[in-house]
């Protein structure tokens, strides 16, 4: 069997886990790692025997590029690969309109170059979106609540770090139920700054002001970092004319590993789609798995 | 907007709920109810203003036939509709090889007549199969346990009723965790039969002998019937090289209503597939929902 050649674009927390997930996939191999400028400058040459380069064209044949990069870079980076006929997978996680725009833009580029882009292929947006879709398939009317955490929020951590006087910070998302969240922010402050003022600034920041936010003054952030995260999706709804249909999905995972594995599974699915751009809910779930269709049906049905 | 015309084949617990779910679907309408011999003989003529017939050809245009019939009848009934270019949806729930055979047979008929068959479109097999697939997408290695209940098992109820001396019975499935189940069987015995012997016969029946089975002697079965059912799917697995990734899906529903709604959602999806036969895991989840793709993505992503 010819293994599918996967290039890993970006080599942060998620990129490293993508490498592990590709190695563990019986149908794939790592074609190489492509540096994203300023992020992996430290790793010129080789890593774990895989070539590391700043340009995918220096690698041998690449079938799929997994973009383990900042979401904000995806709209710039993805077209470069698609134009070269390389499928892309990203975990673009900026909710709302921007996903629709990304899908439109990449659809055009992908179709023009006979390639497939799978977008927002993490766990939220991503597999959680599929779970929400299935819950609505079972009960079309009703309300779905997505409760995140407990776990680190990247966006809120960046926002807390940006506050003047903050040397380092981490923001945890604590689920309070019904889609409502509490924020616990641990900050290490710079010398000669007033904790009370920093606390105030964080609580008034647009990222935090709508939630109950508690700020703690600590000496050390590094030792608080744990990549565990979770989600609890709840739906109570109506099937036909029958009320009180209840569904829950609970997940507790090491965050970058889950994201990376979903991207790698989506990479496999990309080979089975027609040219274009897709979110996970637009792909037959069986396409994510390795193996013959009939065997998967027999096992998972 | 032209509404899709749905014929309901069979009018038992599930068929009645299919009617409700079609009426509540903004894009569908009931074309009519087709009797399955001996099941709905009582309803000649009309029901709720919908025509009732023993032959679908007596109805006006029908786009989709929802087969709310005994699973064992599906292989016989489905081809009749597919040959007439009518899509079919069934909730065929006999696990194992027979699903693969049904899929193969209906694929041939459906393709020959430009129609689509969606098979095993209940909640298990069905939406639970999709959930198991998604869990494996997130963590390809590991073990999934499906715990059913508490709720009525149709198959076990039929098996208990078939035991000599049983006047009426109901069998409940009680989850014990890790895919292990206990069976609680309530029987009403015929006069002059020995409960101890009936208890023994049930416990030795092939449906029951592998599980802990407790048999109760009761006066009345009717008043014990509750259509509530549930499932708890658990997976602990490995994403890439990261262990201890945990996922759960919990559902507590009125059983026939959930089955019926999934079938109706699958009926909608049938219009978006190419000719052939599909299990739910082979269909993009977004196709089950009513509305524009972009709007669904925006809402559920």
């Amino acid at each position: 069997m010819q293994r599918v050649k996967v290039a890993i674009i970006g080599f942060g927390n998620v990129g490293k886990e993508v490498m592990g997930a590709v190695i563990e996939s019986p149908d794939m191999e790592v074609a190489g790692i492509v540096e994203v400028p300023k992020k992996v400058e430290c790793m010129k040459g080789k890593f774990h025997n895989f070539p590391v380069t700043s340009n995918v064209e220096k690698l041998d044949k690449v079938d799929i590029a997994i973009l383990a990069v900042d979401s904000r870079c995806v709209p710039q980076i993805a077209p470069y690969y698609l134009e070269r006929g390389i499928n892309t997978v990203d975990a673009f996680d900026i909710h709302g309109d921007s996903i629709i725009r990304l899908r439109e833009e990449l659809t055009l580029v992908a179709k023009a170059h006979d390639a497939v882009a799978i977008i927002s292929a993490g766990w939220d947006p991503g597999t959680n979106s599929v779970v929400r879709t299935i819950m609505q398939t079972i009960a079309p009317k009703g309300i779905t609540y997505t409760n995140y955490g407990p776990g680190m929020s990247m966006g809120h951590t960046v926002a807390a770090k940006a506050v003047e006087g903050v040397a380092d910070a981490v923001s945890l998302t604590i689920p309070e139920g019904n889609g409502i969240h509490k924020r616990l922010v641990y900050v290490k402050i710079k010398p000669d700054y007033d904790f009370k003022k920093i606390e105030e600034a964080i609580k008034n920041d647009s990222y935090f002001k709508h939630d109950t936010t508690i700020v703690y003054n600590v000496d050390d952030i590094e030792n608080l970092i744990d990549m565990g995260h979770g989600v609890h999706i709840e739906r109570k709804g109506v099937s036909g004319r029958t009320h009180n249909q209840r569904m829950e999905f609970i997940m507790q995972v090491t965050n970058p590993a889950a994201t990376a594995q979903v991207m790698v599974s989506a990479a496999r699915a990309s080979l089975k789609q027609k040219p274009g751009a897709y979110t996970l809910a637009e792909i037959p779930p069986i396409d994510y798995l390795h193996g013959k269709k009939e065997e998967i049906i027999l096992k998972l049905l």
Side-chain angles (χ1 to χ4, degrees), chain A:
Chain A
M1 190 193 61
Q2 187 75 12
R3 282 169 185 259
V4 178
K5 288 166 181 52
V6 178
I8 302 164
I9 320 303
F11 209 66
N13 290 325
V14 172
K16 288 182 185 105
E17 297 285 346
V18 168
M19 186 184 74
V22 172
I23 293 171
E24 295 295 321
S25 297
D27 51 345
M28 298 184 182
E29 66 183 46
V30 177
I33 296 156
V34 178
E35 293 178 332
V36 177
K38 279 189 192 145
K39 286 261 175 167
V40 283
E41 279 181 353
C42 52
M43 312 182 310
K44 294 272 180 231
K46 286 218 173 197
F47 184 85
H48 271 250
N49 288 327
F50 303 126
V52 176
T53 170
S54 58
N55 188 339
V56 72
E57 302 203 326
K58 290 185 191 152
L59 300 175
D60 293 338
K61 184 175 175 298
V62 170
D63 301 302
I64 307 171
I66 297 187
L67 312 181
V69 301
D70 188 319
S71 277
R72 287 162 296 185
C73 304
V74 168
Q76 281 76 53
I77 294 179
Y80 179 87
Y81 294 92
L82 294 169
E83 284 162 6
R84 281 155 184 78
I86 298 170
N87 290 356
T88 61
V89 177
D90 64 65
F92 187 80
D93 67 352
I94 303 169
H95 282 254
D97 266 359
S98 47
I99 283 177
I100 302 294
R101 271 201 308 281
L102 180 65
R103 182 171 166 274
E104 268 172 20
E105 287 165 18
L106 298 191
T107 296
L108 292 175
V109 191
K111 283 189 173 172
H113 298 278
D114 215 22
V116 170
I118 313 241
I119 71 169
S120 301
W123 58 270
D124 203 319
T127 46
N128 280 359
S129 317
V130 173
V131 170
R132 287 188 284 264
T133 304
I134 291 299
M135 286 181 170
Q136 202 156 321
T137 298
I138 299 166
K141 294 174 193 169
I143 300 174
T144 300
Y145 295 113
T146 302
N147 305 293
Y148 300 100
M152 260 179 77
S153 163
M154 299 311 294
H156 290 78
T157 295
V158 169
K161 281 183 181 174
V163 169
E164 207 201 316
V166 172
D168 201 359
V170 60
S171 177
L172 302 194
T173 305
I174 310 296
E176 299 275 85
N178 301 99
I180 295 162
H181 298 89
K182 187 157 69 187
R183 311 286 171 186
L184 301 188
V185 189
Y186 297 82
V187 292
K188 183 184 170 185
I189 66 176
K190 291 179 182 165
D192 306 326
Y193 276 88
D194 178 13
F195 172 68
K196 279 279 161 218
K197 282 188 184 152
I198 287 173
E199 183 184 20
E200 193 104 339
I202 290 173
K203 288 186 173 187
N204 286 317
D205 185 281
S206 65
Y207 264 86
F208 296 98
K209 69 180 174 196
H210 302 294
D211 300 324
T212 302
T213 300
I214 300 165
V215 186
Y216 299 99
N217 191 356
V218 299
D219 298 336
D220 177 68
I221 296 296
E222 276 300 304
N223 282 302
L224 302 182
I225 303 298
D226 162 34
M227 293 292 184
H229 212 322
V231 74
H232 182 183
I233 308 175
E234 301 174 277
R235 183 172 182 84
K236 182 166 70 64
V238 186
S239 306
R241 290 167 162 185
T242 301
H243 293 242
N244 200 30
Q245 305 286 78
R246 291 164 184 267
M247 285 153 269
E248 291 173 72
F249 180 76
I250 299 163
M251 191 167 86
Q252 281 131 0
V253 290
T254 302
N255 188 355
T259 303
Q261 182 64 64
V262 173
M263 293 177 95
V264 169
S265 299
R268 178 179 297 118
S270 78
L271 298 169
K272 302 168 192 165
Q273 312 310 308
K274 281 188 287 190
Y278 303 83
T279 58
L280 295 197
E282 297 171 85
I283 293 171
I286 203 168
D287 290 354
Y288 300 123
L289 305 186
H290 169 61
K292 282 188 63 175
K293 262 192 186 178
E294 286 74 11
E295 282 164 21
I296 297 171
I297 291 171
L298 212 51
K299 234 163 63 185
L300 294 183
L301 211 72

mmCIF file of all heavy atoms in Angstrom, chain A residues 67-76 78 89-103 105-106 118-126 129 259 263 279:
data_model
loop_
_atom_site.group_PDB
_atom_site.id
_atom_site.type_symbol
_atom_site.label_atom_id
_atom_site.label_comp_id
_atom_site.label_asym_id
_atom_site.label_seq_id
_atom_site.Cartn_x
_atom_site.Cartn_y
_atom_site.Cartn_z
ATOM 1 N N LEU A 67 -2.215 22.183 8.459
ATOM 2 C CA LEU A 67 -1.822 23.534 8.874
ATOM 3 C C LEU A 67 -1.984 23.691 10.381
ATOM 4 O O LEU A 67 -3.064 24.070 10.867
ATOM 5 C CB LEU A 67 -2.665 24.575 8.131
ATOM 6 C CG LEU A 67 -2.792 24.401 6.606
ATOM 7 C CD1 LEU A 67 -3.623 25.522 6.003
ATOM 8 C CD2 LEU A 67 -1.416 24.340 5.955
ATOM 9 N N ALA A 68 -0.920 23.365 11.117
ATOM 10 C CA ALA A 68 -0.961 23.485 12.574
ATOM 11 C C ALA A 68 -0.461 24.873 12.949
ATOM 12 O O ALA A 68 0.542 25.032 13.640
ATOM 13 C CB ALA A 68 -0.125 22.383 13.213
ATOM 14 N N VAL A 69 -1.199 25.869 12.473
ATOM 15 C CA VAL A 69 -0.765 27.262 12.618
ATOM 16 C C VAL A 69 -1.871 28.078 13.285
ATOM 17 O O VAL A 69 -3.011 27.628 13.406
ATOM 18 C CB VAL A 69 -0.460 27.877 11.232
ATOM 19 C CG1 VAL A 69 0.637 27.073 10.530
ATOM 20 C CG2 VAL A 69 -1.711 27.932 10.348
ATOM 21 N N ASP A 70 -1.504 29.264 13.710
ATOM 22 C CA ASP A 70 -2.465 30.213 14.262
ATOM 23 C C ASP A 70 -3.636 30.372 13.281
ATOM 24 O O ASP A 70 -3.429 30.546 12.087
ATOM 25 C CB ASP A 70 -1.722 31.550 14.444
ATOM 26 C CG ASP A 70 -2.556 32.576 15.193
ATOM 27 O OD1 ASP A 70 -3.770 32.669 14.930
ATOM 28 O OD2 ASP A 70 -1.979 33.272 16.036
ATOM 29 N N SER A 71 -4.862 30.317 13.811
ATOM 30 C CA SER A 71 -6.048 30.450 12.953
ATOM 31 C C SER A 71 -5.982 31.671 12.040
ATOM 32 O O SER A 71 -6.415 31.617 10.895
ATOM 33 C CB SER A 71 -7.309 30.563 13.814
ATOM 34 O OG SER A 71 -7.749 29.294 14.208
ATOM 35 N N ARG A 72 -5.436 32.759 12.591
ATOM 36 C CA ARG A 72 -5.423 33.993 11.803
ATOM 37 C C ARG A 72 -4.555 33.889 10.554
ATOM 38 O O ARG A 72 -4.689 34.660 9.613
ATOM 39 C CB ARG A 72 -4.978 35.176 12.671
ATOM 40 C CG ARG A 72 -6.050 35.598 13.669
ATOM 41 C CD ARG A 72 -5.469 36.449 14.775
ATOM 42 N NE ARG A 72 -4.509 35.682 15.571
ATOM 43 C CZ ARG A 72 -3.909 36.138 16.674
ATOM 44 N NH1 ARG A 72 -4.145 37.370 17.091
ATOM 45 N NH2 ARG A 72 -3.062 35.373 17.344
ATOM 46 N N CYS A 73 -3.618 32.916 10.546
ATOM 47 C CA CYS A 73 -2.739 32.736 9.376
ATOM 48 C C CYS A 73 -3.363 31.830 8.313
ATOM 49 O O CYS A 73 -2.899 31.811 7.162
ATOM 50 C CB CYS A 73 -1.413 32.106 9.792
ATOM 51 S SG CYS A 73 -0.538 33.009 11.062
ATOM 52 N N VAL A 74 -4.396 31.082 8.679
ATOM 53 C CA VAL A 74 -4.946 30.085 7.750
ATOM 54 C C VAL A 74 -5.373 30.682 6.404
ATOM 55 O O VAL A 74 -5.014 30.153 5.344
ATOM 56 C CB VAL A 74 -6.088 29.277 8.408
ATOM 57 C CG1 VAL A 74 -6.863 28.457 7.392
ATOM 58 C CG2 VAL A 74 -5.523 28.384 9.506
ATOM 59 N N PRO A 75 -6.123 31.808 6.401
ATOM 60 C CA PRO A 75 -6.565 32.345 5.107
ATOM 61 C C PRO A 75 -5.394 32.717 4.195
ATOM 62 O O PRO A 75 -5.533 32.674 2.971
ATOM 63 C CB PRO A 75 -7.368 33.592 5.501
ATOM 64 C CG PRO A 75 -7.804 33.339 6.910
ATOM 65 C CD PRO A 75 -6.688 32.550 7.541
ATOM 66 N N GLN A 76 -4.243 33.061 4.790
ATOM 67 C CA GLN A 76 -3.065 33.396 3.969
ATOM 68 C C GLN A 76 -2.327 32.140 3.523
ATOM 69 O O GLN A 76 -1.861 32.056 2.394
ATOM 70 C CB GLN A 76 -2.077 34.284 4.763
ATOM 71 C CG GLN A 76 -2.473 35.758 4.827
ATOM 72 C CD GLN A 76 -3.604 35.997 5.822
ATOM 73 O OE1 GLN A 76 -3.511 35.598 6.972
ATOM 74 N NE2 GLN A 76 -4.679 36.612 5.370
ATOM 75 N N ALA A 78 -3.280 28.689 3.517
ATOM 76 C CA ALA A 78 -3.951 27.571 2.832
ATOM 77 C C ALA A 78 -3.899 27.680 1.298
ATOM 78 O O ALA A 78 -3.578 26.684 0.620
ATOM 79 C CB ALA A 78 -5.384 27.426 3.336
ATOM 80 N N VAL A 89 -5.670 20.853 5.523
ATOM 81 C CA VAL A 89 -6.545 20.683 6.681
ATOM 82 C C VAL A 89 -6.145 21.750 7.690
ATOM 83 O O VAL A 89 -4.956 21.902 7.985
ATOM 84 C CB VAL A 89 -6.368 19.291 7.327
ATOM 85 C CG1 VAL A 89 -7.247 19.162 8.575
ATOM 86 C CG2 VAL A 89 -6.693 18.185 6.336
ATOM 87 N N ASP A 90 -7.125 22.487 8.187
ATOM 88 C CA ASP A 90 -6.807 23.454 9.236
ATOM 89 C C ASP A 90 -7.760 23.275 10.407
ATOM 90 O O ASP A 90 -8.749 22.539 10.304
ATOM 91 C CB ASP A 90 -6.884 24.888 8.692
ATOM 92 C CG ASP A 90 -8.283 25.273 8.261
ATOM 93 O OD1 ASP A 90 -9.183 25.335 9.140
ATOM 94 O OD2 ASP A 90 -8.517 25.510 7.053
ATOM 95 N N ALA A 91 -7.429 23.933 11.520
ATOM 96 C CA ALA A 91 -8.326 23.903 12.684
ATOM 97 C C ALA A 91 -8.775 25.333 12.988
ATOM 98 O O ALA A 91 -8.859 25.751 14.145
ATOM 99 C CB ALA A 91 -7.621 23.274 13.881
ATOM 100 N N PHE A 92 -9.070 26.046 11.915
ATOM 101 C CA PHE A 92 -9.536 27.441 12.013
ATOM 102 C C PHE A 92 -10.650 27.518 13.058
ATOM 103 O O PHE A 92 -11.688 26.878 12.918
ATOM 104 C CB PHE A 92 -10.056 27.873 10.639
ATOM 105 C CG PHE A 92 -10.413 29.334 10.534
ATOM 106 C CD1 PHE A 92 -9.415 30.274 10.350
ATOM 107 C CD2 PHE A 92 -11.732 29.746 10.596
ATOM 108 C CE1 PHE A 92 -9.731 31.627 10.234
ATOM 109 C CE2 PHE A 92 -12.060 31.100 10.492
ATOM 110 C CZ PHE A 92 -11.051 32.030 10.305
ATOM 111 N N ASP A 93 -10.428 28.312 14.116
ATOM 112 C CA ASP A 93 -11.411 28.277 15.208
ATOM 113 C C ASP A 93 -12.003 29.630 15.548
ATOM 114 O O ASP A 93 -12.438 29.867 16.673
ATOM 115 C CB ASP A 93 -10.802 27.620 16.456
ATOM 116 C CG ASP A 93 -9.693 28.469 17.063
ATOM 117 O OD1 ASP A 93 -9.299 29.476 16.439
ATOM 118 O OD2 ASP A 93 -9.228 28.121 18.156
ATOM 119 N N ILE A 94 -12.018 30.521 14.556
ATOM 120 C CA ILE A 94 -12.689 31.800 14.785
ATOM 121 C C ILE A 94 -14.142 31.602 14.354
ATOM 122 O O ILE A 94 -14.438 31.417 13.178
ATOM 123 C CB ILE A 94 -11.994 32.934 14.004
ATOM 124 C CG1 ILE A 94 -10.505 32.983 14.416
ATOM 125 C CG2 ILE A 94 -12.695 34.261 14.252
ATOM 126 C CD1 ILE A 94 -9.631 33.868 13.557
ATOM 127 N N HIS A 95 -15.039 31.572 15.346
ATOM 128 C CA HIS A 95 -16.450 31.272 15.054
ATOM 129 C C HIS A 95 -17.084 32.414 14.257
ATOM 130 O O HIS A 95 -16.529 33.491 14.136
ATOM 131 C CB HIS A 95 -17.223 31.069 16.366
ATOM 132 C CG HIS A 95 -17.002 29.723 16.993
ATOM 133 N ND1 HIS A 95 -17.939 28.725 16.979
ATOM 134 C CD2 HIS A 95 -15.933 29.209 17.639
ATOM 135 C CE1 HIS A 95 -17.465 27.660 17.605
ATOM 136 N NE2 HIS A 95 -16.251 27.935 18.024
ATOM 137 N N GLY A 96 -18.231 32.142 13.716
ATOM 138 C CA GLY A 96 -19.005 33.181 13.040
ATOM 139 C C GLY A 96 -18.680 33.309 11.568
ATOM 140 O O GLY A 96 -18.155 32.383 10.947
ATOM 141 N N ASP A 97 -19.022 34.483 11.037
ATOM 142 C CA ASP A 97 -18.898 34.788 9.618
ATOM 143 C C ASP A 97 -17.586 34.400 8.966
ATOM 144 O O ASP A 97 -17.542 34.022 7.793
ATOM 145 C CB ASP A 97 -19.044 36.310 9.415
ATOM 146 C CG ASP A 97 -20.487 36.668 9.080
ATOM 147 O OD1 ASP A 97 -21.299 35.727 8.995
ATOM 148 O OD2 ASP A 97 -20.764 37.859 8.915
ATOM 149 N N SER A 98 -16.489 34.521 9.717
ATOM 150 C CA SER A 98 -15.180 34.338 9.083
ATOM 151 C C SER A 98 -14.993 32.903 8.595
ATOM 152 O O SER A 98 -14.252 32.661 7.641
ATOM 153 C CB SER A 98 -14.050 34.742 10.037
ATOM 154 O OG SER A 98 -14.270 34.185 11.303
ATOM 155 N N ILE A 99 -15.686 31.946 9.222
ATOM 156 C CA ILE A 99 -15.621 30.563 8.734
ATOM 157 C C ILE A 99 -16.304 30.462 7.369
ATOM 158 O O ILE A 99 -15.810 29.806 6.453
ATOM 159 C CB ILE A 99 -16.271 29.591 9.750
ATOM 160 C CG1 ILE A 99 -15.304 29.369 10.924
ATOM 161 C CG2 ILE A 99 -16.635 28.266 9.097
ATOM 162 C CD1 ILE A 99 -15.843 28.500 12.027
ATOM 163 N N ILE A 100 -17.432 31.139 7.229
ATOM 164 C CA ILE A 100 -18.166 31.130 5.954
ATOM 165 C C ILE A 100 -17.301 31.757 4.855
ATOM 166 O O ILE A 100 -17.217 31.228 3.736
ATOM 167 C CB ILE A 100 -19.499 31.909 6.089
ATOM 168 C CG1 ILE A 100 -20.373 31.291 7.193
ATOM 169 C CG2 ILE A 100 -20.246 31.973 4.765
ATOM 170 C CD1 ILE A 100 -20.871 29.894 6.909
ATOM 171 N N ARG A 101 -16.629 32.864 5.201
ATOM 172 C CA ARG A 101 -15.760 33.526 4.211
ATOM 173 C C ARG A 101 -14.596 32.610 3.826
ATOM 174 O O ARG A 101 -14.267 32.464 2.654
ATOM 175 C CB ARG A 101 -15.208 34.841 4.775
ATOM 176 C CG ARG A 101 -16.120 36.032 4.495
ATOM 177 C CD ARG A 101 -15.350 37.355 4.575
ATOM 178 N NE ARG A 101 -14.594 37.486 5.821
ATOM 179 C CZ ARG A 101 -15.130 37.829 6.994
ATOM 180 N NH1 ARG A 101 -16.419 38.080 7.079
ATOM 181 N NH2 ARG A 101 -14.388 37.928 8.070
ATOM 182 N N LEU A 102 -13.969 31.996 4.831
ATOM 183 C CA LEU A 102 -12.842 31.098 4.556
ATOM 184 C C LEU A 102 -13.304 29.950 3.646
ATOM 185 O O LEU A 102 -12.619 29.589 2.685
ATOM 186 C CB LEU A 102 -12.291 30.528 5.876
ATOM 187 C CG LEU A 102 -11.104 29.563 5.727
ATOM 188 C CD1 LEU A 102 -9.876 30.274 5.166
ATOM 189 C CD2 LEU A 102 -10.754 28.900 7.070
ATOM 190 N N ARG A 103 -14.470 29.406 3.952
ATOM 191 C CA ARG A 103 -15.001 28.293 3.161
ATOM 192 C C ARG A 103 -15.222 28.722 1.705
ATOM 193 O O ARG A 103 -14.888 27.993 0.771
ATOM 194 C CB ARG A 103 -16.308 27.811 3.802
ATOM 195 C CG ARG A 103 -16.974 26.628 3.125
ATOM 196 C CD ARG A 103 -18.110 26.139 4.008
ATOM 197 N NE ARG A 103 -19.008 25.227 3.317
ATOM 198 C CZ ARG A 103 -20.036 25.619 2.571
ATOM 199 N NH1 ARG A 103 -20.273 26.905 2.396
ATOM 200 N NH2 ARG A 103 -20.815 24.713 1.993
ATOM 201 N N GLU A 105 -13.728 31.276 0.069
ATOM 202 C CA GLU A 105 -12.444 31.574 -0.592
ATOM 203 C C GLU A 105 -11.720 30.292 -0.970
ATOM 204 O O GLU A 105 -11.234 30.136 -2.082
ATOM 205 C CB GLU A 105 -11.553 32.405 0.352
ATOM 206 C CG GLU A 105 -12.017 33.851 0.489
ATOM 207 C CD GLU A 105 -11.355 34.559 1.684
ATOM 208 O OE1 GLU A 105 -10.307 34.059 2.175
ATOM 209 O OE2 GLU A 105 -11.906 35.576 2.120
ATOM 210 N N LEU A 106 -11.657 29.367 -0.007
ATOM 211 C CA LEU A 106 -10.903 28.137 -0.278
ATOM 212 C C LEU A 106 -11.634 27.234 -1.275
ATOM 213 O O LEU A 106 -10.998 26.473 -2.009
ATOM 214 C CB LEU A 106 -10.598 27.386 1.022
ATOM 215 C CG LEU A 106 -9.721 28.125 2.033
ATOM 216 C CD1 LEU A 106 -9.262 27.182 3.144
ATOM 217 C CD2 LEU A 106 -8.507 28.797 1.390
ATOM 218 N N ILE A 118 -10.082 21.032 3.992
ATOM 219 C CA ILE A 118 -11.005 20.745 5.099
ATOM 220 C C ILE A 118 -10.736 21.798 6.159
ATOM 221 O O ILE A 118 -9.607 21.929 6.641
ATOM 222 C CB ILE A 118 -10.799 19.329 5.644
ATOM 223 C CG1 ILE A 118 -10.730 18.337 4.480
ATOM 224 C CG2 ILE A 118 -11.884 18.996 6.668
ATOM 225 C CD1 ILE A 118 -11.734 17.269 4.407
ATOM 226 N N ILE A 119 -11.766 22.553 6.481
ATOM 227 C CA ILE A 119 -11.567 23.690 7.375
ATOM 228 C C ILE A 119 -12.214 23.440 8.741
ATOM 229 O O ILE A 119 -13.126 22.636 8.878
ATOM 230 C CB ILE A 119 -12.093 25.008 6.753
ATOM 231 C CG1 ILE A 119 -13.628 25.022 6.692
ATOM 232 C CG2 ILE A 119 -11.528 25.218 5.351
ATOM 233 C CD1 ILE A 119 -14.198 26.379 6.338
ATOM 234 N N SER A 120 -11.677 24.146 9.735
ATOM 235 C CA SER A 120 -12.213 24.086 11.102
ATOM 236 C C SER A 120 -12.292 22.651 11.604
ATOM 237 O O SER A 120 -13.275 22.250 12.221
ATOM 238 C CB SER A 120 -13.591 24.758 11.158
ATOM 239 O OG SER A 120 -13.478 26.103 10.740
ATOM 240 N N ALA A 121 -11.237 21.888 11.350
ATOM 241 C CA ALA A 121 -11.222 20.457 11.663
ATOM 242 C C ALA A 121 -10.519 20.173 12.987
ATOM 243 O O ALA A 121 -9.614 19.359 13.065
ATOM 244 C CB ALA A 121 -10.556 19.687 10.518
ATOM 245 N N GLY A 122 -10.947 20.873 14.030
ATOM 246 C CA GLY A 122 -10.476 20.567 15.386
ATOM 247 C C GLY A 122 -11.607 19.902 16.142
ATOM 248 O O GLY A 122 -12.445 19.241 15.541
ATOM 249 N N TRP A 123 -11.638 20.112 17.474
ATOM 250 C CA TRP A 123 -12.784 19.534 18.193
ATOM 251 C C TRP A 123 -13.888 20.553 18.453
ATOM 252 O O TRP A 123 -15.030 20.149 18.627
ATOM 253 C CB TRP A 123 -12.369 18.716 19.412
ATOM 254 C CG TRP A 123 -11.554 19.395 20.482
ATOM 255 C CD1 TRP A 123 -10.193 19.452 20.545
ATOM 256 C CD2 TRP A 123 -12.044 20.064 21.645
ATOM 257 N NE1 TRP A 123 -9.810 20.132 21.677
ATOM 258 C CE2 TRP A 123 -10.921 20.507 22.371
ATOM 259 C CE3 TRP A 123 -13.312 20.323 22.153
ATOM 260 C CZ2 TRP A 123 -11.027 21.219 23.571
ATOM 261 C CZ3 TRP A 123 -13.430 21.025 23.349
ATOM 262 C CH2 TRP A 123 -12.287 21.462 24.041
ATOM 263 N N ASP A 124 -13.587 21.857 18.409
ATOM 264 C CA ASP A 124 -14.657 22.848 18.430
ATOM 265 C C ASP A 124 -14.153 24.183 17.929
ATOM 266 O O ASP A 124 -13.402 24.844 18.634
ATOM 267 C CB ASP A 124 -15.262 23.011 19.819
ATOM 268 C CG ASP A 124 -16.678 23.578 19.747
ATOM 269 O OD1 ASP A 124 -16.912 24.490 18.931
ATOM 270 O OD2 ASP A 124 -17.539 23.075 20.472
ATOM 271 N N PRO A 125 -14.538 24.613 16.725
ATOM 272 C CA PRO A 125 -15.391 23.893 15.789
ATOM 273 C C PRO A 125 -14.722 22.622 15.267
ATOM 274 O O PRO A 125 -13.500 22.534 15.255
ATOM 275 C CB PRO A 125 -15.615 24.893 14.658
ATOM 276 C CG PRO A 125 -14.515 25.897 14.779
ATOM 277 C CD PRO A 125 -14.126 25.927 16.204
ATOM 278 N N GLY A 126 -15.522 21.674 14.885
ATOM 279 C CA GLY A 126 -15.010 20.412 14.371
ATOM 280 C C GLY A 126 -15.914 19.272 14.791
ATOM 281 O O GLY A 126 -17.108 19.278 14.488
ATOM 282 N N SER A 129 -19.075 20.196 16.380
ATOM 283 C CA SER A 129 -20.073 20.694 15.423
ATOM 284 C C SER A 129 -20.865 19.515 14.862
ATOM 285 O O SER A 129 -22.080 19.604 14.658
ATOM 286 C CB SER A 129 -19.398 21.452 14.281
ATOM 287 O OG SER A 129 -18.380 22.306 14.762
ATOM 288 N N THR A 259 -7.014 17.749 18.986
ATOM 289 C CA THR A 259 -7.050 18.601 17.791
ATOM 290 C C THR A 259 -6.235 17.975 16.666
ATOM 291 O O THR A 259 -6.696 17.882 15.526
ATOM 292 C CB THR A 259 -6.479 20.001 18.130
ATOM 293 O OG1 THR A 259 -7.228 20.546 19.216
ATOM 294 C CG2 THR A 259 -6.527 20.938 16.937
ATOM 295 N N MET A 263 -7.449 16.496 12.971
ATOM 296 C CA MET A 263 -6.888 17.009 11.709
ATOM 297 C C MET A 263 -6.340 15.868 10.841
ATOM 298 O O MET A 263 -6.523 15.864 9.625
ATOM 299 C CB MET A 263 -5.780 18.020 11.994
ATOM 300 C CG MET A 263 -6.287 19.305 12.633
ATOM 301 S SD MET A 263 -4.924 20.439 13.028
ATOM 302 C CE MET A 263 -4.944 21.475 11.570
ATOM 303 N N THR A 279 -16.467 21.888 5.789
ATOM 304 C CA THR A 279 -16.392 21.765 7.240
ATOM 305 C C THR A 279 -16.680 20.289 7.572
ATOM 306 O O THR A 279 -17.168 19.538 6.724
ATOM 307 C CB THR A 279 -17.444 22.655 7.927
ATOM 308 O OG1 THR A 279 -18.747 22.274 7.459
ATOM 309 C CG2 THR A 279 -17.212 24.127 7.607
#
